[in-house]
Amino acid sequence: MTVQLAGRLAARGDVALGDRCSVDRTMQVVGNRTAMLLIREAFYGATRFEQLAKRVGVTEAVASQRLKELVAAGILAKQPYREPGQRTRFEYVLTPAGHELMPVLLGLLQWGARHLPHPGGRVTVTHDECGAEVQAALRCADGHDVPEEDVVVRGDVTR
């Protein structure tokens, strides 16, 4: 079972797509461990630089670089805050584009739980209203579940 290709994408042969591919461009921004874990922590409610770096387990230099990249890509935004008697600092919050990464993060979480389980237990994601497990799924805009073999990737990518 694989997806179907259509348009110029189907006829491209073995020509590399490079950054003409949206997956490639996305991976250039979020395709490293630190970036994805910073995004995870933003979803978990962390906003302060020190908190983000500590929760992800990276140096401040690495956290600073990745946060700059995520802000430049429009995934996170810097917002000023000031505690009484302190200088103005910045916190990092998800933008609307960042929030759109939730299904991606959820898919990674579910894949890892299924294929790389931790012996200490499993993380579950549930719907607060009804308690049912939330799952990442392929669904068309009309609400139909779509099996992999029914997915058509149409690309009008020029060579």
Side-chain angles (χ1 to χ4, degrees), residues 32-74:
N32 66 63
R33 176 185 173 274
T34 302
M36 285 306 298
L37 295 180
L38 287 166
I39 293 166
R40 177 198 67 193
E41 290 305 327
F43 273 110
Y44 288 179
T47 60
R48 309 263 171 107
F49 176 83
E50 296 82 13
Q51 183 183 37
L52 287 162
K54 189 172 187 174
R55 284 185 175 192
V56 171
V58 295
T59 65
E60 289 188 2
V62 169
S64 177
Q65 181 61 37
R66 293 296 172 262
L67 288 167
K68 283 179 190 173
E69 292 167 359
L70 293 170
V71 168

Side-chain angles (χ1 to χ4, degrees), residues 94-126:
L94 289 162
T95 64
H99 281 283
E100 288 181 26
L101 286 167
M102 173 53 95
V104 175
L105 190 67
L106 179 59
L108 289 171
L109 184 150
Q110 289 174 340
W111 188 91
R114 188 175 307 115
H115 298 285
L116 304 169
H118 188 276
R122 157 178 171 347
V123 172
T124 58
V125 180
T126 58

